Amino acid sequence: MAGEGKRRARRGKRKRHSLNNASPSLQKEEHPSISPPLHSSRPPKRSRVEPSAPKSTASSSFLDKIRGRLSGAHFRMINEKLYTCSGNEALDLFKKDPELFDVYHAGYQEQMSHWPEQPVNIIIKWLKNHSSSMVVADFGCGSATLAKNVKNKVFSIDLVANDPSVIACDMSHTPLDSSSVDVTVFCLSLMGTDFPSYLQEANRVLKPCGWLLIAEVRSRFDPNNGGADPDKFCEAVCKLGYTSVSKDLKNKMFLLFYFKKKEKVAPVKYIEWPELKACLYKRR
């Protein structure tokens, strides 16, 4: 009996050894609890979930859009006011709330970004082709772009000084001395119901034989749509004591007028000025 027990023990030991050395597949068959789950030939359907933008990003984009619309509406309101009031009224408006000037010029720059060519760049080029010793008065200078891009001495004039070099004043009453500058410039700045008074002030500060350069939005000089006749406008300017040297009418967005002041000017008591159509921007 003892021998039989020893033989059984040896058989059990050999069986355990064979199981331990068996292939993994056989081991898994012996232990079904750890075998991998069976898969069907058709994968289970999964519901498609579209990724959504983070709430913070979507909210920020929405707020930016609203701010842009409000800013654009604010610009159009200020722009319309400037074209339909006097220079003195515009000066009072910006004195009460100087931030309106920044709002206006931010909207102005956005509008200008859609123009294929900027009139101020043409005037800069014109000055660079002439003597840098000529003194310039830039009426309605905005951010003083002209002064920053030429070697000339430039008096930058506007209703609000958003740059230390800008002289803030009503453009019909500047602190400049009479016959003190060689070139006067109006680049998209003949705004307001009393624009002729700006030209009269420019005439006062301009030396004999000096230059007057005017760039204006083309629609303001379209007689077929309520604008002024460019020839009649030139006639009125010439009565101040100028000679019309040339007109640049090829640009689709604006016109350029070049006048030279006569050496001797006979005073004219009354000048009939054509009404310049207000430039009102549409909502984009």
Side-chain angles (χ1 to χ4, degrees):
M1 293 294 292
E4 183 63 25
K6 288 181 181 179
R7 284 194 294 272
R8 288 178 180 175
R10 283 196 295 270
R11 284 197 298 270
K13 187 176 181 180
R14 285 195 296 272
K15 187 175 182 180
R16 288 193 298 271
H17 178 75
S18 63
L19 284 173
N20 291 337
N21 293 330
S23 65
S25 61
L26 290 176
Q27 290 184 29
K28 289 177 181 178
E29 290 176 4
E30 292 291 338
H31 302 278
S33 61
I34 61 172
S35 62
L38 296 176
H39 296 283
S40 63
S41 60
R42 181 179 297 175
K45 293 183 179 180
R46 295 181 180 179
S47 58
R48 185 176 179 181
V49 180
E50 294 292 340
S52 58
K55 289 185 178 180
S56 59
T57 303
S59 176
S60 176
S61 177
F62 175 74
L63 288 175
D64 288 342
K65 190 177 293 185
I66 292 298
R67 290 191 190 101
R69 288 179 179 176
L70 289 174
S71 178
H74 209 178
F75 161 72
R76 290 190 293 274
M77 180 190 71
I78 300 169
N79 182 71
E80 182 174 353
K81 177 67 176 177
L82 293 178
Y83 274 105
T84 56
C85 73
S86 67
N88 193 48
E89 289 173 325
L91 184 62
D92 288 341
L93 175 70
F94 289 130
K95 278 184 177 180
K96 291 177 182 176
D97 191 352
E99 289 185 4
L100 291 179
F101 191 78
D102 296 329
V103 172
Y104 171 75
H105 273 281
Y108 172 83
Q109 292 298 333
E110 198 279 332
Q111 292 291 335
M112 289 297 99
S113 68
H114 299 284
W115 287 26
E117 191 171 24
Q118 304 293 320
V120 68
N121 292 332
I122 297 177
I123 294 172
I124 288 170
K125 185 177 179 181
W126 185 92
L127 286 169
K128 287 182 176 180
N129 289 333
H130 291 74
S131 173
S132 60
S133 65
M134 293 195 303
V135 179
V136 182
D138 184 8
F139 285 76
C141 65
S143 56
T145 301
L146 186 64
K148 294 173 183 176
N149 287 277
V150 296
K151 295 179 180 179
N152 307 66
K153 178 179 176 58
V154 179
F155 291 105
S156 300
I157 303 165
D158 214 321
L159 295 169
V160 175
N162 63 354
D163 186 279
S165 65
V166 176
I167 301 169
C169 64
D170 180 348
M171 292 193 300
S172 62
H173 298 92
T174 71
L176 302 183
D177 294 332
S178 298
S179 302
S180 59
V181 303
D182 302 288
V183 184
T184 53
V185 174
F186 289 88
C187 187
L188 309 182
S189 57
L190 284 180
M191 306 171 74
T193 55
D194 57 344
F195 76 87
S197 65
Y198 307 158
L199 292 171
Q200 290 167 350
E201 176 66 1
N203 188 50
R204 179 186 71 81
V205 304
L206 188 63
K207 296 177 182 178
C209 301
W211 288 89
L212 167 64
L213 276 54
I214 300 174
E216 265 304 333
V217 180
R218 190 179 192 92
S219 62
R220 305 191 75 192
F221 292 92
D222 183 1
N224 297 323
N225 290 299
D229 185 324
D231 291 331
K232 290 184 178 180
F233 174 76
C234 287
E235 288 175 9
V237 173
C238 288
K239 286 181 180 179
L240 279 174
Y242 292 89
T243 300
S244 177
V245 177
S246 65
K247 289 180 287 189
D248 184 350
L249 310 179
K250 65 179 181 295
N251 197 285
K252 293 181 179 180
M253 306 302 292
F254 58 87
L255 306 181
L256 268 164
F257 302 92
Y258 299 84
F259 300 96
K260 194 163 187 179
K261 188 175 181 179
K262 296 176 180 177
E263 190 169 0
K264 292 182 179 181
V265 180
V268 177
K269 291 183 179 180
Y270 175 75
I271 300 175
E272 186 176 355
W273 291 93
E275 183 178 350
L276 298 185
K277 181 181 178 182
C279 179
L280 306 180
Y281 294 98
K282 297 179 181 178
R283 178 177 176 178
R284 290 185 176 275

